Amino acid sequence: RAKAIKGNSYRFFTPEMHEKARARLTMESALRRALERQELEVHYQPRLDVATLQVVGMEALLRWNHPQLGRVPPAQFIPLAEETGLIGTIGEWVLQQACRHSRRWVQALGRPLRVSVNLSPRQLHDQQLVAKVRQALRESGLPAQLLELELTEGSLAQDPHTAERTLGRLKALGLRLAVDDFGTGHSSLSYLRRFPVDVLKLDRTFLPGLTEVAEGASFSTLAQAILHLAHTLSLRVVAEGVETREVFDFLKDAGCDEAQGYFFCRPLPPREFEAFLRGSLEQAACGMTG
Ligand code: C2E
Ligand code: MG
Ligand code: MG
Ligand code: MG
């Protein structure tokens, strides 16, 4: 046993590990300054009603443009922000931005668009979360029912008891709650009943892919089963990552409520998103080529 531990600690100090740790530290200190250096931006991806093809809302997605590192993908820096606790400040800023932008668009277009904001596990378990959400709503003037918060199954599983209480308090503000990436985490169907969620976001791994023709049928069956289950529990289903007409047609037949994905539009910076909303599709650099 002592040998195994010795072995592990030796491995920890290989040059590659050292290099990795250094790269991480570099990125961490860069991320620490990203907000004040205005390197962060919130982009928006439209969400469409499957039956009417109307834009009914949008998901706020964080982007980091670093002068040297370039565009750092959220899959890289969100986990880092989560581990270091930086997600607290950054997440609050995203929430404020999303509420402000949405309020402006709702007013300018005279349509009730709903904005959906991702919350990380640490944010969900932040004691100040409810106060921060209330403040973002008040400060922006966005009606609470036009805000939706997306949580992952993982963050609900972390401490279900606290999560349940927090979600109850959030619901009391009048907003909507969504379970993101449904089916990829510690899926427990009991969660859908236990927690006061309104929306289920069907992960794209459940959508029939063009490459998995053989598996396609079983994927479709699974997606249909999830849709049926969600509707039985009076949840709305949003399919994410819709890339093709085939998948869209499938979702329409299966009775899916809303969809988002490259087939309709990529996530866009605020100005382009507003143009997209106004119907200036050409200017908005939308569609599969964007
Ligand atoms: P998510 O919440 O599941 O967001 C959906 C992801 O799918 C986004 O990736 C979006 O750009 C991408 N996507 C949209 N349509 C398509 C499509 O048709 N095909 C494919 N392949 N992908 C599509 P993105 O923007 O890279 O974000 C990745 C993840 O990072 C998000 O997954 C979310 O978990 C996290 N994230 C992003 N912004 C925030 C944020 O402000 N706060 C927190 N806590 N997490 C965030
Ligand atoms: Mg999401
Ligand atoms: Mg998702
Ligand atoms: Mg996803």
Side-chain angles (χ1 to χ4, degrees), residues 168-179:
R169 291 174 62 206
L170 287 170
K171 281 294 297 175
L173 296 179
L175 46 76
R176 291 212 315 196
L177 297 172
V179 177

Side-chain angles (χ1 to χ4, degrees), residues 153 179-184 189 192 200-203 206 226:
E153 296 162 286
V179 177
D180 202 357
D181 303 334
F182 183 80
T184 59
L189 294 181
L192 294 181
L200 190 154
K201 294 196 83 174
L202 188 63
D203 195 78
F206 283 104
I226 294 174

Side-chain angles (χ1 to χ4, degrees), residues 26-239:
T26 307
M27 195 182 273
E28 183 185 329
S29 63
L31 186 56
R32 220 169 264 288
R33 286 182 297 251
L35 200 54
E36 61 191 58
R37 293 190 179 175
Q38 303 186 313
E39 295 165 4
L40 299 181
E41 189 175 35
V42 182
H43 285 198
Y44 297 90
Q45 185 178 40
R47 217 157 100 172
L48 282 84
D49 183 293
V50 170
T52 65
L53 281 179
Q54 279 232 354
V55 178
V56 288
M58 53 272 169
E59 178 171 9
L61 293 159
L62 185 58
R63 295 291 178 261
W64 181 17
N65 229 326
H66 186 271
Q68 279 86 46
L69 302 170
R71 282 180 164 273
V72 187
Q76 262 176 44
F77 74 85
I78 298 278
L80 184 64
E82 176 74 6
E83 285 161 37
T84 55
L86 288 167
I87 196 71
T89 322
I90 294 175
E92 190 179 358
W93 179 80
V94 172
L95 192 62
Q96 289 166 351
Q97 290 290 304
C99 289
R100 276 180 214 163
H101 282 138
S102 304
R103 154 80 183 191
R104 204 173 69 209
W105 296 329
V106 166
Q107 250 186 344
L109 284 103
R111 274 174 50 197
L113 300 162
R114 182 175 282 113
V115 69
S116 140
V117 177
N118 293 284
L119 285 193
S120 75
R122 204 194 268 253
Q123 287 176 277
L124 178 64
H125 295 289
D126 171 6
Q127 303 252 349
Q128 297 304 309
L129 175 67
V130 180
K132 285 174 180 173
V133 171
R134 195 188 289 118
Q135 172 64 21
L137 287 169
R138 187 188 299 143
E139 185 256 357
S140 63
L142 184 76
Q145 63 268 25
L146 296 186
L147 177 64
E148 181 177 290
L149 298 175
E150 296 189 6
L151 311 142
T152 57
E153 296 162 286
S155 69
L156 296 175
Q158 237 174 50
D159 178 0
H161 187 70
T162 312
E164 193 176 7
R165 264 206 359 239
T166 307
L167 296 195
R169 291 174 62 206
L170 287 170
K171 281 294 297 175
L173 296 179
L175 46 76
R176 291 212 315 196
L177 297 172
V179 177
D180 202 357
D181 303 334
F182 183 80
T184 59
H186 329 50
S187 293
S188 162
L189 294 181
S190 64
Y191 282 8
L192 294 181
R193 284 180 42 189
R194 173 167 183 181
F195 297 108
V197 294
D198 311 277
V199 174
L200 190 154
K201 294 196 83 174
L202 188 63
D203 195 78
R204 58 188 297 268
T205 52
F206 283 104
L207 301 181
L210 290 179
T211 48
E212 317 118 4
V213 179
E215 275 178 295
S218 58
F219 269 97
S220 315
T221 313
L222 207 51
Q224 276 161 345
I226 294 174
L227 265 155
H228 183 75
L229 169 92
H231 286 158
T232 305
L233 296 168
S234 304
L235 300 172
R236 279 181 81 75
V237 180
V238 181

